[in-house]
Amino acid sequence: MKELKNRILEDGKALNETVLKVDTFLNHQVDSKLMYNMGTYFKEYFKNHGITRILTIESSGIAPTAMTAMQMDLPMVILKKQQSKILNGNVYQTTVHSFTKGSDYELTLSKDYISKDDKVLIIDDFLANGEAALGAARLVEEAGAKVSGIGIVIEKSFQPGRSKLEEKGYEVYSLARIAKLGKDLIEFID
């Protein structure tokens, strides 16, 4: 997605070989027009996949997922990273390691918002090592539903996330694929 790549080059900050800061438009301040356009790309790519529900992990994936869900006229479900007192154990849970934070968390999906008949699109902001997407997929499959695709806003293609997901049979579509990061260096895969 050319618009996203341009925005990454203009406003993104490569802090080192693995960290890309995009908080000016994706995960602190949100550019809603860009998010809407991302939703259009995801909708077009996945429109013939029979999707019935779209999932994301709180919080940076919420904006592009909401725009995709709105355009596809589908329900959006947010997977929680912290246990809620009101869910009363009626949940699917799995442990996920966060590359960005360097720690583990419990990913939680309420059983009320998924059924065994669902065909799910998972959307996430970044793909690095694939742990978050794999965790979300585990929850979908534990519910007896099917992962019909995984949409990624920014993929760090030099890390093993895509290959891990594809080895499990998941179809991955990324809006921007980064080949290389370094201090003040951002290179894309065309």
Side-chain angles (χ1 to χ4, degrees):
M1 180 180 172
K2 188 170 179 49
E3 179 185 6
L4 175 58
K5 289 178 182 178
N6 288 341
R7 192 64 185 272
I8 292 167
L9 291 174
E10 290 169 18
D11 295 329
K13 299 214 180 344
L15 302 181
N16 56 42
E17 294 78 23
T18 59
V19 178
L20 175 63
K21 190 174 178 187
V22 290
D23 61 348
T24 60
F25 61 89
L26 180 62
N27 54 18
H28 195 86
Q29 176 175 269
V30 175
D31 180 334
S32 55
K33 177 125 178 75
L34 179 61
M35 298 303 121
Y36 183 86
N37 293 342
M38 287 180 198
T40 301
Y41 273 78
F42 285 132
K43 175 190 80 173
E44 285 304 309
Y45 186 86
F46 290 107
K47 67 183 176 187
N48 296 319
H49 286 64
I51 308 293
T52 61
R53 189 170 304 271
I54 305 175
L55 273 62
T56 193
I57 300 168
E58 64 178 358
S59 64
S60 298
I62 292 174
T65 305
M67 296 299 180
T68 306
M70 181 180 72
Q71 292 184 51
M72 294 180 81
D73 195 26
L74 293 171
M76 176 182 94
V77 177
I78 300 168
L79 304 177
K80 303 293 184 179
K81 290 182 182 177
Q82 297 185 18
Q83 182 66 28
S84 170
K85 293 178 182 177
I86 62 170
L87 292 178
N88 299 326
N90 190 31
V91 297
Y92 300 106
Q93 283 189 307
T94 190
T95 302
V96 172
H97 181 75
S98 168
F99 173 80
T100 307
K101 303 230 184 314
S103 61
D104 292 344
Y105 60 89
E106 286 297 314
L107 192 59
T108 304
L109 169 60
S110 172
K111 291 180 180 180
D112 293 335
Y113 303 114
I114 193 163
S115 78
K116 63 177 178 45
D117 299 323
D118 278 320
K119 292 181 180 176
V120 175
L121 170 59
I122 297 168
I123 294 180
D124 205 4
D125 60 340
F126 274 94
L127 175 60
N129 290 324
E131 296 302 315
L134 285 168
R138 280 194 302 273
L139 295 177
V140 169
E141 291 168 352
E142 186 178 344
K146 179 183 187 306
V147 176
S148 293
I150 298 176
I152 302 295
V153 175
I154 301 170
E155 176 186 333
K156 297 179 199 173
S157 297
F158 55 89
Q159 292 183 278
R162 175 179 283 268
S163 62
K164 287 181 181 179
L165 294 171
E166 289 178 342
E167 283 172 14
K168 297 275 189 183
Y170 303 123
E171 181 176 354
V172 180
Y173 173 66
S174 299
L175 299 179
R177 296 184 69 195
I178 296 177
K180 185 176 184 181
L181 284 178
K183 180 80 170 120
D184 300 321
L185 170 75
I186 304 169
E187 293 179 1
F188 294 101
I189 292 175
D190 289 323

